[in-house]
Every structure is written in C-alpha cells, then in structure tokens.
C-alpha cells in the first residue's frame, strides 16, 4: 500500500504559444494556479511553471528529509532554509529538466559543520523527489549558520 497519493489537474486551452492553463490540486491548497508557455520559458509575470512546481516539491521534500536525519542524530534544527533551482534545457532538441540545484542553510544548535554536512548527505539519498530526479544533475550547497 502506498504511503501517500496526491493529485493535481491541469486544464489547458489553446495552442502552446498563446494558450493558457490552470492547475488545481486535490488538497485544495493549489487552486486555479495559472500557467503558460511564456511563464515557463520567458518571464513568469506572476504565473507558475512545471519547473517552479518541481522546485517547490524538491525544496520541501529535502527540508523534510534533512529534518528527519538531523532528528535521528539528536539535533533539532531551529530553522532550515532549502532553495531549489530547477533548470529546463534542450537535450537532443527536446526540452528536458536537466538539473536541480539545492541551496541549504540551517541553524542547528549544538551541531558542527561536519555533522551538518553528514546529515545533508544522508538526506540527499533519502529525499524521494531527489530520487525522482535521478537522471538529472543534483547539486547541494549546504552551510551551517552560526547563532
């Protein structure tokens, strides 16, 4: 049995270049989120893109995986900030998500930089979204912040 299943639905109208869509999530947290090809490849102008949604999934998943690993090491974070930059590029003439660069900053009392790096490395192997992106280049820039 699955741990969780979540759904989202996109309704698209029109041709790719001038068309537009809206994204609705099954939970109700995402409703009527607008998306266009231009917001994906040019300027967002307040609209979203699959890459932004993938980046939000990766950053939130990684933060959860890191919080878990830190807890297993008896270190409770005051704050973790995880930013993800997901890149869409052409590969063989086809648009492809090629990378996700994570920037991790954490304030974790009573933990040194080596312990933080170890937990980050463990979280990288645990995060389900990182494993989903297994074919993409994933980089992690991690830094333990001082108090």
């Amino acid at each position: 049995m699955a741990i969780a299943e979540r759904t989202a639905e996109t309704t698209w109208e029109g041709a790719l270049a001038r068309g537009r869509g809206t994204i609705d999530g099954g939970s109700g947290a995402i409703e009527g989120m607008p998306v266009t090809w231009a917001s994906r490849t040019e300027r967002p102008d307040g609209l979203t893109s699959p890459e932004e949604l993938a980046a939000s999934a990766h950053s939130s998943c990684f933060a959860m995986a890191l919080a878990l690993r830190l807890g297993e090491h008896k270190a409770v974070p005051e704050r973790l900030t995880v930013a993800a930059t997901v890149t869409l590029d052409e590969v063989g003439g086809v648009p492809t998500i090629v990378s996700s660069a994570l920037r991790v900053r954490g304030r974790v009392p009573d933990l040194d930089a080596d312990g933080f790096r170890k937990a980050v490395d463990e979280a990288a192997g645990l995060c389900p979204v990182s494993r989903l992106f297994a074919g993409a280049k994933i980089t992690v820039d991690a830094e333990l912040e001082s108090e």
Side-chain angles (χ1 to χ4, degrees), residues 9 15 20 24 34 37 53 56 69 75 82 91 93 96-97 116 122 138 142:
E9 180 177 277
R20 33 187 328 110
D24 294 295
W37 180 251
L53 296 170
S56 67
R69 286 299 189 222
V82 180
V91 175
T96 303
I97 292 176
F116 184 69
E122 292 170 356
I138 298 174

Side-chain angles (χ1 to χ4, degrees), residues 89-96:
D89 203 352
E90 274 194 29
V91 175
V94 179
T96 303

Side-chain angles (χ1 to χ4, degrees), residues 42-143:
E42 296 168 19
R43 290 189 334 240
D45 290 333
L47 308 180
T48 195
S49 69
E51 291 70 31
E52 181 177 45
L53 296 170
S56 67
H58 201 188
S59 67
S60 61
C61 182
F62 196 91
M64 290 180 199
L66 181 53
L68 174 66
R69 286 299 189 222
L70 287 167
E72 290 171 348
H73 291 287
K74 309 292 187 240
V76 178
E78 283 181 8
R79 183 181 66 240
L80 297 173
T81 304
V82 180
T85 301
V86 170
T87 301
L88 178 70
D89 203 352
E90 274 194 29
V91 175
V94 179
T96 303
I97 292 176
V98 295
S99 66
S100 182
L102 296 173
R103 181 181 177 273
V104 181
R105 299 297 180 262
R107 182 166 293 156
V108 187
D110 304 320
L111 188 69
D112 64 12
D114 288 339
F116 184 69
R117 186 70 226 186
K118 179 180 179 188
V120 167
D121 291 343
E122 292 170 356
L126 177 65
C127 172
V129 175
S130 289
R131 291 196 316 276
L132 175 66
F133 286 153
K137 179 181 179 184
I138 298 174
T139 60
V140 181
D141 168 19
E143 183 178 308

